[in-house]
Amino acid sequence: SAVISQKPSRDICQRGTSLTIQCQVDSQVTMMFWYRQQPGQSLTLIATANQGSEATYESGFVIDKFPISRPNLTFSTLTVSNLSPEDSSIYLCSAGGGQDEKLFFGSGTQLSVL
Amino acid sequence: KQEVTQIPAALSVPEGENLVLNCSFTDSAIYNLQWFRQDPGKGLTSLLLIQSSQREQTSGRLNASLDKSSGRSTLYIAASQPGDSATYLCALTSGTYKYIFGTGTRLKVLA
């Protein structure tokens, strides 16, 4: 199993600013992902964080808005740029690496944009 | 395109009741299916994972079953407790970690 620490747990940001979310895993994992959960909705995959290279983004998500870094096997950051009220969501880091493709999640970051 | 549906969207039961949460999917070509629990404003906790070759998995008061031919999975919770109150999500992948999540069932167990 993997224990994932995510911070901040919540933040309130002004329109036009950016927020960077950090994700630390307690063991080396193959895969790390970032998800968004809009109010009352289920989870949507933003991107796969690739170690030492550019993230792989899902349809509808772009690097300029959601830059992601993963400098090593246990750490990743997601930045949400040029914030608007529509970015108010829970952002979730997840990781996995076993053959069973089991996913583990961090505690989430609840972002509110004013 | 795979679609995952969870019915009911919300459920309220008295403490001690046994209950079943449902998850339906449209494409039976899955690699595995996971059930998660989410408390309000928080992350997800993995409850059970069923691989495509398995029929069910059990952990404590929880039992999850998988029937690929009918496109269904169920999560059975025995002797429900107020601490079980949360949103329960099912998610499945056809491989390479491309998980698709259901919209969840919001469970409230009344003391």
Side-chain angles (χ1 to χ4, degrees):
Chain A
S1 66
V3 176
I4 302 175
S5 302
Q6 187 175 335
K7 58 181 182 181
S9 59
R10 61 174 60 232
D11 208 341
I12 300 173
C13 298
Q14 296 295 322
R15 184 194 301 256
T17 63
S18 299
L19 176 70
T20 296
I21 304 167
Q22 297 181 359
C23 178
Q24 178 74 55
V25 187
D26 70 340
S27 58
Q28 292 190 348
V29 291
T30 306
M31 311 294 289
M32 291 185 74
F33 308 92
W34 288 97
Y35 284 86
R36 181 177 72 181
Q37 186 178 31
Q38 295 177 300
Q41 305 290 316
S42 192
L43 278 72
T44 301
L45 179 63
I46 297 171
T48 302
N50 300 310
Q51 186 209 351
S53 64
E54 189 172 294
T56 304
Y57 290 85
E58 298 299 305
S59 176
F61 297 95
V62 295
I63 188 171
D64 289 347
K65 177 68 174 176
F66 299 99
I68 290 170
S69 76
R70 187 180 174 191
N72 56 53
L73 285 174
T74 63
F75 185 78
S76 178
T77 65
L78 166 71
T79 298
V80 189
S81 304
N82 190 24
L83 291 167
S84 69
E86 293 71 34
D87 295 319
S88 297
S89 298
I90 298 174
Y91 292 86
L92 296 145
C93 171
S94 71
Q99 190 174 2
D100 61 2
E101 295 196 11
K102 188 172 185 179
L103 264 188
F104 298 92
F105 280 84
S107 53
T109 296
Q110 189 155 22
L111 169 63
S112 298
V113 183
L114 304 179
Chain B
K1 180 185 172 186
Q2 179 74 272
E3 294 182 2
V4 182
T5 305
Q6 291 185 248
I7 295 174
L11 182 63
S12 186
V13 300
E15 181 177 8
E17 197 163 292
N18 301 326
L19 57 100
V20 175
L21 307 181
N22 296 295
C23 173
S24 299
F25 48 93
T26 55
D27 186 346
S28 63
I30 67 172
Y31 186 76
N32 70 32
L33 183 147
Q34 274 191 258
W35 281 92
F36 294 91
R37 168 189 172 133
Q38 185 177 30
D39 292 292
K42 300 295 185 181
L44 278 65
T45 300
S46 179
L47 298 174
L48 290 163
L49 178 147
I50 308 178
Q51 296 186 337
S52 63
S53 59
Q54 298 173 327
R55 299 276 303 176
E56 64 179 322
Q57 284 286 324
T58 298
S59 176
R61 294 183 294 109
L62 305 179
N63 175 275
S65 67
L66 175 64
D67 184 345
K68 290 194 301 179
S69 62
S70 65
R72 286 189 60 195
S73 176
T74 61
L75 179 67
Y76 175 82
I77 303 177
S80 58
Q81 304 170 357
D84 295 329
S85 298
T87 296
Y88 290 81
L89 294 155
C90 69
L92 53 87
T93 177
S94 57
T96 66
Y97 281 96
K98 291 293 187 180
Y99 274 90
I100 298 173
F101 283 78
T103 50
T105 294
R106 194 167 58 253
L107 173 65
K108 187 165 187 177
V109 181
L110 305 171

